[in-house]
């Protein structure tokens, strides 16, 4: 009798152990459990830790609650200003409602991926090339709003969307390089012109100061000579400024330099004596021309008759 009880207890214990092993489930900290009992959703979401389900009746679906990083494949499109580009992006999202992620959509990861690709192509068609290159923050926000609207019904929250790279054709890259080079050259010319204008104003002020103080020009000349001599040159070129000549001229006019003595008066030149009149030659009578005698006629040669 006792042996039968022991055998029955062992059998029950074994059956209980087998049942517990079949019904035991472990939900990780970053997961939540959704139980479907005979195909119907149970309202209770299983928290992390050890939990039991009815074998053969309940089906436990574990949903990852971590932030998922999903790369969006590169999409080729034409911008609003008719430029062909290839743009790829990355989407960060997480599940906020495990029951909706299991019931509302078949595969929320695939659904978010397809929605991201179509939204990215739509953003490319609505944007200009300059916006894709320099105003990505605004495009990221617009893309996030386009993804977040349908994802809320799937129990998914879009955390962030980033455009990673924009690939341009080689011809467009060369055109943009030439444009950037021309823009930098224009800036360099403007800066050079401003520098020339400022230098001319400073030189005009310096010239006015030197005109008021002529000795400043001599000091500046000496400074130039010192600067040239510091280079250890074998030949020293000493310029002679025109302003120094003007200074000497003004000094002479002010009486600092004695003026040159006036030229001596030269005696008046004597008048040359008048030449005597030459008498006119007597007229020569005209000689009439006599006609020349005619030439003698040639006689025929004499011969025997």
């Amino acid at each position: 009798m006792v042996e039968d009880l022991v055998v029955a207890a062992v059998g029950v214990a074994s059956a209980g152990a087998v049942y517990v092993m079949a019904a035991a489930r472990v939900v990780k900290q970053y997961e939540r459990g959704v139980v479907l009992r005979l195909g119907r959703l149970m309202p209770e979401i299983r928290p992390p830790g050890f939990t039991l389900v009815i074998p053969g009746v309940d089906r436990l679906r574990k949903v990852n609650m971590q932030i998922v990083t999903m790369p969006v494949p590169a999409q080729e499109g034409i911008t609003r200003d008719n430029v062909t580009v290839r743009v790829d992006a990355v989407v960060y999202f997480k599940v906020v409602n495990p029951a909706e992620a299991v019931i509302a959509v078949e595969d929320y990861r695939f659904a978010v991926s397809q929605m991201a690709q179509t939204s990215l192509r739509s953003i490319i068609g609505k944007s200009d090339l300059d916006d894709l290159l320099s105003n990505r923050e605004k495009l990221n926000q617009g893309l996030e709003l386009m993804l977040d609207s349908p994802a809320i019904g799937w129990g998914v929250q879009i955390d962030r969307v980033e455009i990673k790279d924009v690939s341009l054709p080689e011809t467009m890259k060369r055109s943009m390089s030439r444009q950037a080079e021309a823009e930098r050259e224009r800036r360099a010319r403007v800066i050079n012109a401003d520098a020339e204008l400022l230098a001319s104003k400073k030189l005009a002020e310096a010239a006015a100061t030197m005109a008021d103080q002529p000795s400043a020009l001599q000091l500046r000349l000496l400074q130039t000579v010192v600067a040239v001599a510091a280079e250890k040159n074998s030949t020293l070129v000493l310029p002679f400024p025109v302003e120094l000549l003007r200074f000497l001229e003004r000094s002479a006019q002010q009486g600092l330099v004695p003026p040159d003595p006036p030229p001596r008066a030269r005696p008046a030149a004597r008048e040359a004596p008048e030449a005597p009149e030459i008498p006119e030659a007597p007229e020569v009578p005209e000689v009439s021309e006599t006609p020349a005698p005619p030439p003698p006629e040639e006689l025929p040669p004499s011969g025997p008759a």
Side-chain angles (χ1 to χ4, degrees), residues 19 44-45 76 89 94-95 102-103 109 118 123 139 158 162-163 186 188 191 198 219 222 238 256-257 260 277 285 288:
Y19 176 80
E44 181 184 0
I45 303 297
E76 185 172 355
K94 62 180 179 180
V95 177
V102 174
I103 301 300
R109 290 175 179 264
T118 56
I123 285 292
L139 297 180
I158 304 299
E162 292 287 344
I163 295 177
R186 182 187 67 82
I191 293 174
L198 182 60
L219 294 177
L222 295 177
L238 183 62
L256 299 179
V257 177
D260 295 336
E277 295 182 359
S288 60

Side-chain angles (χ1 to χ4, degrees), residues 220-288:
R220 186 71 184 94
L221 177 61
L222 295 177
Q223 290 178 357
T224 304
V225 172
V226 171
V228 173
E231 298 295 333
K232 298 181 180 180
N233 296 326
S234 59
T235 304
L236 180 61
V237 178
L238 183 62
F240 193 78
V242 180
E243 285 77 5
L244 185 59
L245 298 177
R246 295 176 181 174
F247 170 71
L248 296 176
E249 182 181 359
R250 288 195 299 268
S251 300
Q253 293 176 358
Q254 295 175 3
L256 299 179
V257 177
D260 295 336
R264 297 179 180 178
R266 297 180 179 179
R270 296 180 179 179
E271 296 181 356
E274 296 181 358
E277 295 182 359
I278 300 175
E280 295 180 358
E283 295 182 359
V284 179
E286 294 182 358
V287 179
S288 60

